[in-house]
Amino acid sequence: MKEIQRILSYVRRCADDYNMIEDGDRICVGVSAGKDSLTLLIALAELRRFYTKKYTLCAATIDLGFEGADYSEIAELCHRLEIEYKVVETQIGKVVFDIRKENSPCSLCAKMRRGALHNAAKEMGCNKVALGHHFDDTVETFMLNLFYEGRIGCYSPVTYLSNTDLYLIRPMVYVPEKMVRYFANKAGLPVAESKCPADKNTERETMKQLLRQLEKDNKGLRHRIFGAIQKGRIDGFKEVGRLPND
């Protein structure tokens, strides 16, 4: 499929630029049932067929405990891709919304989900966890830190977690969100609507809308911000020249 080839050009370049994958790696893809993580799953499944470094894949979904969640189509997709798949059942949603009654639930939820995902990855014999953050996520995270925390920072393309002896990798940080959305639609990926009560009502969604509006009057704004992150070598990013298909 032509669409996955374009995404693969970004993912392969990113993996090379940051030495994300080594021979013998076992990588757990954190699958949330959203378009980003499912696209990453497909991309890494395709990449393993021809990449110079040989690695194996598995996938894990952290079930937050919201009623109506169904991961059967994801399980079927993983079966077709010959990828081991695990659903980890939790009560994170109940803890965050019913017990703690968090006014800003995203931070605590993310922390608990990360812990559950890391534990699942270790149980499945992995040394790396792959997350589906893309180009637009990177720009939004940088701006969120600037606007709401007053600091210059972002996540890193590669992060070593000494407490779990795991590496977190983000192979899609070069991939524009519009490309992910297009691929997910064309490929008919089993994207599930979020059951989270806070979905679409977060600081990230506010920032996404702000950047969208600013981009209308300042064409190329996101790329300039991303370029500044690279030039400033923010949290492990680096200048790598032009991206594929720029």
Side-chain angles (χ1 to χ4, degrees):
M1 182 180 290
K2 180 180 178 181
E3 291 77 18
I4 193 60
Q5 295 304 319
R6 295 186 66 198
I7 289 172
L8 279 172
S9 69
Y10 285 91
V11 170
R12 183 176 186 175
R13 170 74 176 276
C14 188
D16 287 344
D17 286 345
Y18 291 97
N19 300 311
M20 289 184 173
I21 300 173
E22 298 292 345
D23 279 319
D25 280 347
R26 181 162 172 77
I27 303 171
C28 178
V29 181
V31 177
S32 67
K35 69 183 189 320
D36 306 332
S37 58
L38 288 170
T39 297
L40 175 63
L41 182 70
I42 298 287
L44 289 179
E46 287 293 308
L47 185 67
R48 67 183 171 176
R49 294 171 46 242
F50 61 84
Y51 198 55
T52 54
K53 308 291 179 65
K54 302 306 177 185
Y55 61 93
T56 58
L57 285 175
C58 64
T61 294
I62 308 305
D63 181 3
L64 303 182
F66 296 122
E67 186 177 352
D70 180 8
Y71 307 108
S72 58
E73 290 187 278
I74 297 174
E76 176 59 28
L77 174 63
C78 288
H79 178 72
R80 294 200 305 269
L81 296 172
E82 299 181 339
I83 294 174
E84 179 185 357
Y85 178 57
K86 180 177 186 177
V87 177
V88 180
E89 296 183 359
T90 75
Q91 294 298 311
I92 292 175
K94 181 177 181 180
V95 171
V96 172
F97 290 100
D98 299 336
I99 298 175
R100 293 284 297 267
K101 301 184 187 301
E102 293 284 320
N103 292 324
S104 300
C106 296
S107 179
L108 177 60
C109 180
K111 182 177 181 179
M112 295 178 73
R113 281 189 291 115
R114 284 195 299 268
L117 178 58
H118 299 166
N119 288 340
K122 295 296 288 186
E123 290 172 2
M124 299 172 85
C126 298
N127 65 313
K128 291 181 178 176
V129 173
L131 303 176
H133 297 110
H134 48 62
F135 176 93
D136 295 73
D137 285 329
T138 305
V139 173
E140 289 160 15
T141 298
F142 177 81
M143 295 298 288
L144 282 166
N145 288 333
L146 182 63
F147 273 51
Y148 294 102
E149 298 183 24
R151 67 182 181 89
I152 303 296
C154 192
Y155 46 63
S156 299
V158 178
T159 304
Y160 176 65
L161 305 175
S162 58
N163 60 326
T164 58
D165 193 29
L166 285 170
Y167 283 89
L168 299 185
I169 61 173
R170 295 177 167 90
M172 292 211 307
V173 293
Y174 292 169
V175 183
E177 184 177 19
K178 64 182 180 181
M179 189 177 294
V180 175
R181 187 182 301 109
Y182 180 72
F183 171 71
N185 289 335
K186 290 287 287 186
L189 297 185
V191 176
E193 288 293 325
S194 174
K195 303 295 182 181
C196 176
D199 187 46
K200 304 299 183 184
N201 187 29
T202 63
E203 290 177 348
R204 179 170 293 276
E205 183 62 26
T206 299
M207 181 56 68
K208 183 185 294 289
Q209 296 303 323
L210 174 60
L211 285 167
R212 185 172 296 160
Q213 183 61 44
L214 290 172
E215 183 86 27
K216 290 180 180 179
D217 299 321
N218 301 272
K219 299 299 182 184
L221 176 64
R222 289 185 182 89
H223 280 82
R224 290 193 292 275
I225 294 173
F226 191 87
I229 295 171
Q230 292 178 306
K231 292 172 185 175
R233 297 184 177 271
I234 304 299
D235 291 323
F237 280 87
K238 60 185 179 182
E239 288 188 86
V240 293
R242 292 179 63 83
L243 300 183
N245 301 317
D246 266 3

